[in-house]
Amino acid sequence: MSEPQRTPFVDSLLEAAAQVQLPGTGIGWLDAARRENLQAFAAGGLPDTRTEAWKYTALRALGQRRFAAGDATAATRPVDVAGFALPGIEGPSLVFVNGVFRADLSQVDHLPAGLSLQPLSQALQGDAEPLRFALSRHYREGGDVFARLNAALAGDGVVLRVAAGARVDQPVRLLFIGAPAEGALAWHVRHVVELGEGAELSLVEQHVSLGAHQDLGTQVADIVLRKGATLRHVTLQHASEGSALVRHDSVHLDADAHAAMYVMELGGSLVRHDLHAVLAGDRSRLDTRGVFALRGRQHVDTQMSIRHQALNTASESVWRGVADERSRGVFRGAIVVAEGADGSDASLSSKNLLLSGQAEIDTKPELEIYADEVKAAHGATVGQLDERSLFYLRSRGIPLAEARAMLTAAFCRAVFDGLADDGLREHINNQLMTHLPSA
């Protein structure tokens, strides 16, 4: 079998790896994991559309680009984070600019009891052994090229732990700011999140931009919920229109744990989100809600897999997509009810709107059942705005453009109706209204 053709993308990132001195260098197991993942990245190169996981997302253009190792000004450049404030979100926070932790912009003083929150770069300076399991992972699937790259080159990220029985009342905020830099920049962040038995946490993750730029960001998160833990995780992605952003989230739920995950995708030129969840404990539950609203030539690809492998587990996934102009959205939702996961209840809904004759949405729900007494349903639709609803609104004197905007916004907003935080829900609705076409 011939080796994959080397591309400017791969060459530039291998050069970057040779230039940077990463936090934790000198820790034997970490150096070995980084080295092996980098070798796998170099050997595999970028996947093409013959790889099933990347069937609808071509990486040829990205493969011809070169990226620099880092931004020398990221740690010191003046940044006003007030413009990225969220209503009611005033608790602990970590802020990163082009992947570099900014202590001056973060809030980590006077943390609530039971909460441990620090950047990965600092955690590696102390006792790194508790991070060994997560940071030693090797990604062997053909589609995991960016996870390999992240495992090899991540220089920072978030280490967040909640002690058993602790309830963190204030949401924790993670803010990732992309900023123009000299040349095209690549940055990589790695997160380790663990909630102890019976712990409870709300986590808000933002990806925003200071201005137009063309960077590459990769993020890998390992999230573990111990018995009876509860996590509410909201991700608001509004990166620069020229950015490529690849996120890879792994979620593990023990018995009676519950995770509710909300995702809004508005920005970026090429965005990929892989969400892998394992319901490993009896009666664990996962709820996912997501919206992508695209325009121009944006391309957003969401790949979600949920594995039920314990008794009486439940998952409910509701996703909406809107594509305008020449944009393209991709959604794949795969649910597996493994042998022995009797009594599982799984549902998946993917509904999508095309607002332009040149837009495209590819949606692929998948369901595999190997257990007994299972309730399961999945469905997907791709269509246009309902003409009867448009006629109804126009008959009430509402102009066509406004009627279309109202129906499209209502279609998207339904995903976030279950979000308990009224202020945050209203903020999301306002962002959607601003982003969606008004004509």
Side-chain angles (χ1 to χ4, degrees):
M1 183 175 178
S2 61
E3 292 187 2
Q5 182 179 2
R6 290 283 285 271
T7 64
F9 174 86
V10 172
D11 286 340
S12 66
L13 289 166
L14 292 178
E15 293 168 8
Q19 296 169 8
V20 297
Q21 180 79 5
L22 296 174
T25 297
I27 300 174
W29 57 263
L30 181 57
D31 288 343
R34 285 170 170 169
R35 183 170 56 251
E36 290 174 21
N37 277 289
L38 187 64
Q39 290 170 350
F41 166 73
L46 288 176
D48 57 29
T49 53
R50 291 173 296 181
T51 301
E52 182 63 26
W54 292 89
K55 182 176 180 179
Y56 300 103
T57 300
L59 299 174
R60 291 187 300 272
L62 184 67
Q64 298 308 307
R65 296 178 59 189
R66 297 183 62 86
F67 290 92
D71 177 11
T73 68
T76 57
R77 73 165 69 215
V79 176
D80 181 10
V81 297
F84 306 122
L86 296 173
I89 310 298
E90 300 173 351
S93 67
L94 293 184
V95 179
F96 298 79
V97 176
N98 287 345
V100 176
F101 172 64
R102 291 289 297 267
D104 57 319
L105 304 176
S106 303
Q107 298 181 37
V108 290
D109 296 330
H110 311 296
L111 294 178
L115 174 65
S116 172
L117 177 65
Q118 62 182 151
L120 176 65
S121 53
Q122 291 183 9
L124 289 173
Q125 294 174 6
D127 181 11
E129 194 61 26
L131 301 171
R132 183 170 186 164
F133 180 78
L135 300 188
S136 293
R137 288 184 62 185
H138 302 287
Y139 298 90
R140 309 186 190 281
E141 296 295 329
D144 286 341
V145 56
F146 291 97
R148 293 188 199 117
L149 177 62
N150 182 281
L153 293 181
D156 221 324
V158 176
V159 178
L160 188 162
R161 293 190 176 91
V162 183
R167 175 176 178 176
V168 181
D169 294 326
Q170 279 283 349
V172 173
R173 181 187 183 207
L174 308 178
L175 178 59
F176 303 94
I177 303 173
E182 185 175 348
L185 175 72
W187 53 267
H188 316 277
V189 290
R190 182 71 179 268
H191 311 323
V192 178
V193 178
E194 182 175 355
L195 276 62
E197 289 191 13
E200 188 172 339
L201 174 74
S202 292
L203 182 64
V204 179
E205 174 185 330
Q206 283 177 277
H207 296 267
V208 300
S209 172
L210 285 179
H213 56 280
Q214 296 183 338
D215 63 353
L216 166 69
T218 72
Q219 171 181 296
V220 172
D222 289 282
I223 302 171
V224 176
L225 277 64
R226 299 303 180 192
K227 182 178 179 180
T230 300
L231 172 67
R232 293 171 293 273
H233 185 186
V234 179
T235 300
L236 308 178
Q237 187 277 116
H238 203 165
S240 168
E241 291 185 1
S243 295
L245 179 63
V246 184
R247 311 193 311 276
H248 186 289
D249 296 332
S250 297
V251 185
H252 178 99
L253 295 95
D254 284 344
D256 298 304
H258 178 207
M261 308 186 78
Y262 296 83
V263 180
M264 180 175 68
E265 307 273 16
L266 299 183
S269 61
L270 173 63
V271 175
R272 168 78 171 217
H273 181 205
D274 288 84
L275 172 58
H276 303 281
V278 177
L279 283 73
D282 295 348
R283 299 171 302 281
S284 55
R285 180 180 181 92
L286 172 69
D287 295 306
T288 71
R289 305 284 188 271
V291 166
F292 61 78
L294 314 179
R295 59 192 181 191
R297 299 184 68 92
Q298 286 182 285
H299 185 112
V300 170
D301 183 346
T302 299
Q303 300 280 318
M304 182 179 70
S305 67
I306 300 172
R307 182 176 179 85
H308 294 249
Q309 64 180 41
L311 295 173
N312 301 312
T313 55
S315 67
E316 184 181 34
S317 299
V318 179
W319 291 75
R320 300 288 184 266
V322 176
D324 195 18
E325 299 174 329
R326 301 184 65 182
S327 61
R328 185 176 186 182
V330 179
F331 176 82
R332 172 181 172 266
I335 298 175
V336 175
V337 181
E339 184 177 356
D342 298 345
S344 293
D345 185 348
S347 66
L348 168 65
S349 169
S350 169
K351 296 183 179 180
N352 304 274
L353 286 178
L354 294 174
L355 303 183
S356 162
Q358 295 179 301
E360 182 178 346
I361 294 178
D362 302 285
T363 181
K364 185 182 179 185
E366 301 174 8
L367 179 60
E368 299 179 37
I369 301 174
Y370 303 97
D372 297 324
E373 300 179 7
V374 170
K375 292 173 58 179
H378 70 294
T381 61
V382 179
Q384 298 175 327
L385 288 171
D386 182 57
E387 292 295 334
R388 291 173 297 178
S389 299
L390 279 173
F391 176 79
Y392 175 83
L393 293 176
R394 295 200 69 193
S395 69
R396 297 313 191 259
I398 298 174
L400 176 61
E402 186 177 346
R404 287 173 58 85
M406 289 173 61
L407 290 175
T408 306
F411 175 79
C412 294
R413 281 201 302 264
V415 171
F416 300 102
D417 285 346
L419 192 58
D421 189 319
D422 294 339
L424 186 58
R425 187 174 63 251
E426 186 63 27
H427 173 83
I428 291 172
N429 291 339
N430 290 338
Q431 282 212 321
L432 281 168
M433 285 296 295
T434 301
H435 190 80
L436 290 170
S438 58

